[in-house]
Amino acid sequence: MSRPNILIVMADQLAWKALPAYGDSFLATPHIDRIANRGVRFDRCYTSCPLCQPARPSLWTGRFPHETGVLSNGRNFPVEPVSAAIPTLGELFTAAGYRTAHFGKQHDMGGLRGFAHIEPQKEAEVEPEHPAWPVHYDTRRDRYTRLRTVEWLRETPADQPFLLVADLQNPHDICSWIGVNQGEHTDIAPPGGLPPLPANFATGDLAQRPLPVQYICCSHNRMSQAAVWNEENYRHYLAAYYHYCRRLDGEVGHILDALEARADAAGTLVFFLSDHGDNMTSHRLVTKQVSFYEETTRVPFLAAGPGLEPGSRSALVSHLDLLPTLCDLAGIEPPAGLWGQSLRPLLEHGKDESHPYVVSEWHTEWGFTISPGRMVRSERYKYTRYIEDGGEELYDLQADPGETRTLVRDPGHQEILAEHRAILDRHLQETADPFISLTWKADSRWRSHPVGYPNHRGPAAPMVEE
Ligand code: ZN
């Protein structure tokens, strides 16, 4: 086969479990299903950070956030652009003779460097479908991104292999939705009824969990805005979240139609993934921040196209595997020193083995509260550690997939706990991760109310002038 075209369709804040391709029954996503039905579905793919700006340059360079240096979304914790010494996906593919173009969300701090075309982020007109679901910049930008991506696919000749990214933002519009529905409020009834709350909605043993997790409401605007919601309000959140997922799916459909109309469609590999997930009301949490629960760290990852063997894969994979995989498929030598590895054997032969564990990192959103944390996800367990108070969690994801009970103090799990502490310690050494020397910052105001998100009152740290 000559060098394949590559189309990457990105979503923002899309949890794997929101998609019918991963078993959800409330939502219909016929277009994302078009990729899943003829392709490979990775069931256990993890982001390197459950936050937009650290996750994205990490994805585009195949490096952990502690390697790119992009640890936050900015503001009170500014970050430098990704060093020119770190090769990016765009640079590698442009240098190899690919026609490279990126449309949509950037938020990359230089991670997109090297793409020959980077479309400026603009908005296009979109009518709200229903008053319960207002549209904001995410939805309007997605319309612009889709229109421009489709134009590009129509107008670009099939005389050179391409790497094209359609970087869509939904269901991220749910963040603005919380702003509209913050605090005590009366919901506007949406069409189609309300989804049920998930089995892990209760906060359960929150008092046993690390302090940064106990007080997420204090470090995160959106969590503080949702703190006094009742159960029905949370179900409205889910209904709106699914709506923005449907918006995403609609835009994906137009992009796939435009691809399929091209002469070189059969030679194109399509990848679909998200930068991170969304809590979807699990543990009474909304959006993403600080914690590493499955809903925010585990992301959908689909791939379809020539040479791939359709079906599901249960191997543990990471965002960091994307760059070496794409290089392998395009015959490009990957940069040295990457932790990630090519998934080509998994894609082409279904060879179901990969990393013994994957890692995700957290530092801060805006710098007002700093809570360095790490997650190790092994074959069966999830272990987390935070610098503040040395807080830890351990979940048996086989027996407790909803992460309802931390086993850190369970006498029967001390050996497993020690094993996972050792995995993390070794990983920190192997990747020159300075985690243990990092410092945390949390004003006592943000650790003061009785444990439980519903006990939060008033603003969160980022809303208060320091
Ligand atoms: Zn709070």
Short mmCIF file of all heavy atoms in Angstrom, two decimals, residues 214-219 446 449 452-453 455-457, ligand 1:
data_model
loop_
_atom_site.label_atom_id
_atom_site.label_comp_id
_atom_site.label_asym_id
_atom_site.label_seq_id
_atom_site.Cartn_x
_atom_site.Cartn_y
_atom_site.Cartn_z
N GLN A 214 -11.38 15.53 47.80
CA GLN A 214 -12.48 15.92 48.70
C GLN A 214 -12.94 17.35 48.43
O GLN A 214 -14.10 17.69 48.64
CB GLN A 214 -12.02 15.83 50.15
CG GLN A 214 -11.86 14.42 50.67
CD GLN A 214 -11.44 14.43 52.14
OE1 GLN A 214 -11.62 15.40 52.86
NE2 GLN A 214 -10.84 13.32 52.58
N TYR A 215 -11.99 18.19 48.00
CA TYR A 215 -12.31 19.62 47.83
C TYR A 215 -12.21 20.08 46.38
O TYR A 215 -11.85 21.23 46.11
CB TYR A 215 -11.44 20.46 48.76
CG TYR A 215 -11.85 20.27 50.21
CD1 TYR A 215 -11.18 19.35 51.02
CD2 TYR A 215 -12.94 20.95 50.72
CE1 TYR A 215 -11.59 19.13 52.32
CE2 TYR A 215 -13.36 20.75 52.03
CZ TYR A 215 -12.68 19.84 52.83
OH TYR A 215 -13.10 19.62 54.11
N ILE A 216 -12.55 19.21 45.45
CA ILE A 216 -12.58 19.62 44.05
C ILE A 216 -13.51 20.82 43.86
O ILE A 216 -13.22 21.74 43.11
CB ILE A 216 -13.05 18.45 43.15
CG1 ILE A 216 -11.96 17.37 43.07
CG2 ILE A 216 -13.40 18.94 41.74
CD1 ILE A 216 -12.37 16.14 42.29
N CYS A 217 -14.62 20.81 44.62
CA CYS A 217 -15.59 21.90 44.49
C CYS A 217 -14.93 23.26 44.76
O CYS A 217 -15.35 24.28 44.21
CB CYS A 217 -16.75 21.68 45.45
SG CYS A 217 -16.24 21.25 47.12
N CYS A 218 -13.90 23.27 45.60
CA CYS A 218 -13.26 24.54 45.99
C CYS A 218 -12.21 25.00 44.98
O CYS A 218 -11.80 26.15 44.99
CB CYS A 218 -12.59 24.39 47.35
SG CYS A 218 -13.74 24.07 48.68
N SER A 219 -11.76 24.09 44.11
CA SER A 219 -10.71 24.47 43.16
C SER A 219 -11.26 24.64 41.75
O SER A 219 -10.53 24.98 40.84
CB SER A 219 -9.58 23.43 43.16
OG SER A 219 -10.06 22.18 42.72
N TRP A 446 -9.85 26.83 51.14
CA TRP A 446 -10.32 25.83 50.16
C TRP A 446 -10.21 24.42 50.70
O TRP A 446 -10.23 23.43 49.96
CB TRP A 446 -9.57 25.98 48.84
CG TRP A 446 -9.48 27.42 48.42
CD1 TRP A 446 -8.33 28.14 48.21
CD2 TRP A 446 -10.56 28.32 48.19
NE1 TRP A 446 -8.65 29.43 47.88
CE2 TRP A 446 -10.02 29.57 47.86
CE3 TRP A 446 -11.96 28.20 48.25
CZ2 TRP A 446 -10.79 30.69 47.58
CZ3 TRP A 446 -12.74 29.32 47.97
CH2 TRP A 446 -12.15 30.53 47.63
N HIS A 449 -14.73 23.52 54.51
CA HIS A 449 -16.11 23.11 54.81
C HIS A 449 -16.19 21.61 55.08
O HIS A 449 -15.28 20.86 54.74
CB HIS A 449 -17.06 23.56 53.69
CG HIS A 449 -16.82 22.92 52.35
ND1 HIS A 449 -17.08 21.61 52.08
CD2 HIS A 449 -16.34 23.45 51.19
CE1 HIS A 449 -16.79 21.36 50.81
NE2 HIS A 449 -16.32 22.44 50.26
N GLY A 452 -17.80 16.83 51.48
CA GLY A 452 -18.99 16.59 50.65
C GLY A 452 -19.23 17.79 49.75
O GLY A 452 -19.34 18.92 50.22
N TYR A 453 -19.30 17.53 48.45
CA TYR A 453 -19.48 18.64 47.49
C TYR A 453 -20.75 19.45 47.76
O TYR A 453 -20.73 20.67 47.59
CB TYR A 453 -19.46 18.11 46.06
CG TYR A 453 -18.24 17.27 45.75
CD1 TYR A 453 -18.36 16.00 45.19
CD2 TYR A 453 -16.96 17.75 46.04
CE1 TYR A 453 -17.23 15.22 44.93
CE2 TYR A 453 -15.83 16.97 45.78
CZ TYR A 453 -15.98 15.71 45.23
OH TYR A 453 -14.88 14.94 44.98
N ASN A 455 -21.79 20.43 50.42
CA ASN A 455 -21.52 21.38 51.51
C ASN A 455 -20.77 22.61 51.06
O ASN A 455 -20.53 23.52 51.85
CB ASN A 455 -20.71 20.68 52.63
CG ASN A 455 -21.53 19.60 53.29
OD1 ASN A 455 -22.71 19.78 53.55
ND2 ASN A 455 -20.91 18.45 53.53
N HIS A 456 -20.37 22.63 49.82
CA HIS A 456 -19.65 23.80 49.32
C HIS A 456 -20.61 24.98 49.18
O HIS A 456 -21.73 24.82 48.71
CB HIS A 456 -19.01 23.51 47.95
CG HIS A 456 -18.23 24.67 47.43
ND1 HIS A 456 -16.89 24.82 47.66
CD2 HIS A 456 -18.63 25.78 46.75
CE1 HIS A 456 -16.48 25.96 47.12
NE2 HIS A 456 -17.52 26.55 46.56
N ARG A 457 -20.17 26.16 49.61
CA ARG A 457 -20.94 27.38 49.39
C ARG A 457 -20.01 28.45 48.86
O ARG A 457 -18.83 28.48 49.20
CB ARG A 457 -21.57 27.88 50.70
CG ARG A 457 -22.69 27.01 51.22
CD ARG A 457 -23.92 27.01 50.30
NE ARG A 457 -24.98 26.14 50.78
CZ ARG A 457 -25.09 24.84 50.52
NH1 ARG A 457 -24.16 24.23 49.79
NH2 ARG A 457 -26.09 24.14 50.99
ZN ZN B 1 -15.78 23.22 48.27
#
